[in-house]
């Protein structure tokens, strides 16, 4: 079963674990007589976002605290605006760090949570793109037809030509030149799962002796893959073209709804999310705004060309996030952020004490650093006039040196050297 699963070094093992969960959900649904991949995807998405909720909560909490400390960060940035000298830059960094310590948060903010979530979400994509590789019950629906194809003479060359004709090379890793029967069987399952509805009709043309088996398998698979009126293996673009040719206007509307709902749900989700502070960094704010505009548009465009099943996943994920966000916003509105900040400060203090850093050491270090910065600033403000004054004082001291003193002897040596240099 796992031979056709994604085998990446990082995402592969994660996809495997998620595949077990997906397989468990589909099997549990089958026990009560429900065999539907689309519904399984929705339930699976709910389970995954429940598992990710602790990370989501921490990320949202940071965003709220970031909004509260934003005025203080802006004040520090404004204070040192336009100052590029080392002393000013160091002072700005130290004051910024003190603000983060005050609120008990890390400058990295929600980056850690995002780094954990991203591989999970990318692995989910791999699972949904090849469900039979992870859900054994779905794979079993194809096996009778697969065995029939492999019992046909020259099936390897026939399948190779068929994959090229159906333009499936970009979405499968199927290679029918090998001799391992198990691998070849899995590759055929991959191809059958990736086919749209027209592919089944073409399959009858290349394997005419299996026409009845192809029809019966297609009927079973279509029932499993049917979500409302759409087949989750078809792309909305294919459904629109095919339905337009057959004047099936309801199917066209249904296919259009997938990318449109995906776009709208993504936009709503972004609007509901609290945005982390960017201070006076206009460039970062512009980048965040651009990303917030691009991601829903990306979902809109991609949903036309990817299987409906993946569009269902995007929609389900966005809707679940919107529901989560609604309740999180209600929750954070009731929270006493000042109390949270106080607790964070206590936690940070205890952590420093465990590391052997006392509060007075921190204050002393800050005082010493401030004094160094002040001394550096004073030294840098010495004018050329003051330098000239110091040179004049040195000359006067030299002229008034007492006879026999070290200064007088030094003057004699200097005068002797100057006379010799002139004579040369």
């Amino acid at each position: 079963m796992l031979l056709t699963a994604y085998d990446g070094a990082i995402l592969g093992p994660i996809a495997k674990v998620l595949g077990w969960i997906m397989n468990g959900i589909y099997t549990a649904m089958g026990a009560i007589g429900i065999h539907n991949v689309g519904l399984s995807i929705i339930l699976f998405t709910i389970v995954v976002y429940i598992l990710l909720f602790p990370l989501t909560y921490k990320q949202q909490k940071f965003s709220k605290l970031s909004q509260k400390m934003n005025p203080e960060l802006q004040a520090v940035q404004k204070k040192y605006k336009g100052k590029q000298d080392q002393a000013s830059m160091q002072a700005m960094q130290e004051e910024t760090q003190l603000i983060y310590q005050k609120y008990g948060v890390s400058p990295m903010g929600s980056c850690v949570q995002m780094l954990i979530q991203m591989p999970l979400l990318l692995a989910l994509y791999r699972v949904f793109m090849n469900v039979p590789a992870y859900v054994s019950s779905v794979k079993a629906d194809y096996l009778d037809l697969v065995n029939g194809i492999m019992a046909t003479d020259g099936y390897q060359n026939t399948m190779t030509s068929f994959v090229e004709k159906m333009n499936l090379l970009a979405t499968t890793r199927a290679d029918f030149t090998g001799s391992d029967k198990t691998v070849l069987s899995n590759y055929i399952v991959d191809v059958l799962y990736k086919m749209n509805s027209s592919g089944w009709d073409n399959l009858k043309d290349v394997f005419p002796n299996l026409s009845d088996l192809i029809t019966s398998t297609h009927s079973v698979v279509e029932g499993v893959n049917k979500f409302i009126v759409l087949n989750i293996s078809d792309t909305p673009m294919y459904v629109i073209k095919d339905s337009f040719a057959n004047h099936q206007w309801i199917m066209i509307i249904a296919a259009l709804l997938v990318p449109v709902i995906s776009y709208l749900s993504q936009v709503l989700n972004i609007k509901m999310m609290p945005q982390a502070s960017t201070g006076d960094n206009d460039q970062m704010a512009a980048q965040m705004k651009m990303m917030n505009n691009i991601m829903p548009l990306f979902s809109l465009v991609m949903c036309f060309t990817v299987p409906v099943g993946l569009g269902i996943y995007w929609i389900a994920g966005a809707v679940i996030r919107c529901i989560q966000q609604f309740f999180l916003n209600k929750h954070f509105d009731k929270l006493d952020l000042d109390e949270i900040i106080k607790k964070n400060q206590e936690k940070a203090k205890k952590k420093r004490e465990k590391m052997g850093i006392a509060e007075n050491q921190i204050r002393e270090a800050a005082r010493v650093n401030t004094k160094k910065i002040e001394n550096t600033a004073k030294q840098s403000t010495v004018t050329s006039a003051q330098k000239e004054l110091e040179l004049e004082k040195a000359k006067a001291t030299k002229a008034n040196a007492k006879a026999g003193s070290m200064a007088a002897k030094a003057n004699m040596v200097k005068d002797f050297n100057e006379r010799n240099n002139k004579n040369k």
Side-chain angles (χ1 to χ4, degrees):
M1 182 181 75
L2 296 174
L3 286 175
T4 54
Y6 180 69
D7 56 2
I10 297 176
L11 298 183
I14 299 174
K16 184 177 179 180
V17 173
L18 295 175
W20 284 340
I21 299 174
M22 178 76 173
N23 187 54
I25 292 173
Y26 189 85
T27 302
M29 290 177 57
I32 59 175
I34 301 175
H35 301 276
N36 189 278
V37 176
L39 185 57
S40 297
I41 288 175
I42 293 175
L43 293 177
F44 183 43
T45 307
I46 293 172
V47 170
V48 169
Y49 275 93
I50 289 174
L51 294 176
L52 290 176
F53 181 76
L55 295 177
T56 302
Y57 181 84
K58 289 183 179 180
Q59 182 181 347
Q60 299 288 316
K61 187 177 178 181
F62 171 81
S63 295
K64 283 290 184 182
L65 290 173
S66 178
Q67 289 177 345
K68 190 170 181 63
M69 67 182 180
N70 182 39
E72 295 183 41
L73 291 173
Q74 287 181 337
V76 172
Q77 292 169 357
K78 185 176 180 181
K79 177 180 177 182
Y80 294 97
K81 186 175 182 180
K83 297 181 180 179
Q84 299 297 323
D85 59 284
Q86 184 178 358
S88 297
M89 295 294 291
Q90 183 180 351
M92 184 177 74
Q93 291 176 1
E94 289 176 352
E95 290 185 33
T96 302
Q97 185 63 36
L98 287 174
I99 294 174
Y100 278 108
Q101 290 179 3
K102 172 184 173 181
Y103 286 89
V105 297
S106 168
M108 295 299 292
S110 59
C111 292
V112 175
Q113 287 78 27
M114 290 296 294
L115 288 174
I116 294 173
Q117 290 185 54
M118 285 305 295
L120 290 174
L121 298 178
L122 291 174
L124 273 177
Y125 169 81
R126 293 293 179 178
V127 173
F128 294 149
M129 285 297 290
N130 199 4
V131 172
Y134 300 94
V135 182
S136 56
S137 298
V138 174
K139 181 181 178 180
D141 294 332
Y142 295 89
L143 292 183
D144 287 342
L145 177 56
V146 171
N147 293 332
I149 291 174
M150 295 182 70
T152 304
D153 291 337
Y155 79 92
Q156 289 173 278
N157 292 332
T158 303
M159 286 300 300
T160 299
S161 300
F162 180 74
V163 169
E164 293 176 357
K165 178 182 177 182
M166 297 302 299
N167 296 319
L168 295 173
L169 289 175
T171 56
T172 68
R173 295 179 293 159
D175 181 4
F176 298 103
T177 60
S179 59
D180 190 317
K181 299 295 184 182
T182 303
V183 174
L184 293 173
S185 173
N186 282 301
Y187 281 152
I188 295 174
V189 174
D190 281 351
V191 171
L192 297 178
Y193 182 73
K194 296 296 195 308
M195 290 192 314
N196 55 37
S197 297
S198 66
W200 291 91
D201 294 329
N202 287 305
L203 193 64
K204 294 177 184 178
D205 295 333
V206 296
F207 292 103
N209 59 316
L210 299 175
S211 181
D212 292 340
L213 186 54
I214 292 171
T215 300
S216 60
T217 302
H218 183 208
S219 178
V220 172
V221 170
E222 192 173 34
V224 169
N225 288 342
K226 185 77 74 176
F227 185 76
I228 307 177
V229 296
L230 297 174
N231 188 320
I232 66 170
S233 296
D234 292 335
T235 66
M237 186 62 72
Y238 165 78
V239 175
I240 292 170
K241 290 180 179 178
D242 185 67
S243 300
F244 186 80
N246 295 299
H247 306 289
Q248 296 175 329
W249 311 119
I250 293 178
M251 292 293 292
I252 294 175
I253 294 173
L256 285 171
L257 283 176
V258 174
V260 170
I261 293 176
S262 178
Y263 171 77
L264 294 176
S265 58
Q266 298 282 347
V267 170
L268 179 61
N269 181 237
I270 290 173
K271 287 186 178 295
M272 292 180 68
M273 287 181 63
Q275 301 299 320
S277 166
T278 59
D280 279 341
N281 195 331
D282 294 334
Q283 183 178 0
M284 185 179 294
Q287 290 176 349
M288 288 180 64
K289 184 178 180 180
M290 182 177 67
M291 286 297 296
N292 289 340
N293 291 331
I294 288 177
M295 290 308 294
L297 288 173
F298 173 80
S299 175
L300 175 68
V301 174
M302 287 297 295
C303 269
F304 277 101
T305 58
V306 298
V308 170
L310 190 56
I312 292 172
Y313 159 64
W314 280 340
I315 293 171
V319 171
I320 293 167
R321 290 194 302 271
C322 286
I323 295 172
Q324 278 186 347
Q325 198 61 57
F326 174 79
F327 288 104
L328 281 173
N329 289 343
K330 291 285 186 182
H331 171 71
F332 284 121
D333 287 341
K334 295 178 182 178
L335 280 182
D336 186 351
L337 293 181
D338 292 330
E339 184 64 25
I340 292 176
I341 293 168
K342 184 178 178 181
K343 289 180 180 179
N344 286 339
Q345 290 173 354
E346 289 297 323
K347 287 180 182 178
K349 180 180 177 182
K350 290 179 181 179
K351 186 176 180 180
R352 288 193 297 267
E353 289 175 350
K354 285 182 180 179
M355 294 172 63
I357 305 174
E359 287 295 310
N360 59 346
Q361 289 178 304
I362 294 175
R363 286 195 293 269
E364 180 63 20
R367 187 186 66 79
V368 171
N369 286 336
T370 302
K371 188 174 181 180
K372 286 181 179 179
I373 293 171
E374 290 175 352
N375 289 339
T376 302
K378 288 179 180 179
Q379 291 173 6
S380 64
T381 57
V382 176
T383 63
S384 58
Q386 288 174 319
K387 290 181 180 179
E388 290 293 332
L389 180 61
E390 292 297 327
L391 289 174
E392 291 298 327
K393 287 182 179 179
K395 289 180 181 179
T397 302
K398 173 184 173 182
N400 296 326
K402 293 181 180 179
S405 66
M406 290 297 296
K409 291 178 181 180
N411 289 338
M412 292 175 63
V413 171
K414 181 180 179 183
D415 292 340
F416 177 78
N417 289 333
E418 288 178 351
R419 285 195 299 271
N420 285 339
N421 290 332
K422 289 180 180 180
N423 292 331
K424 290 179 181 179

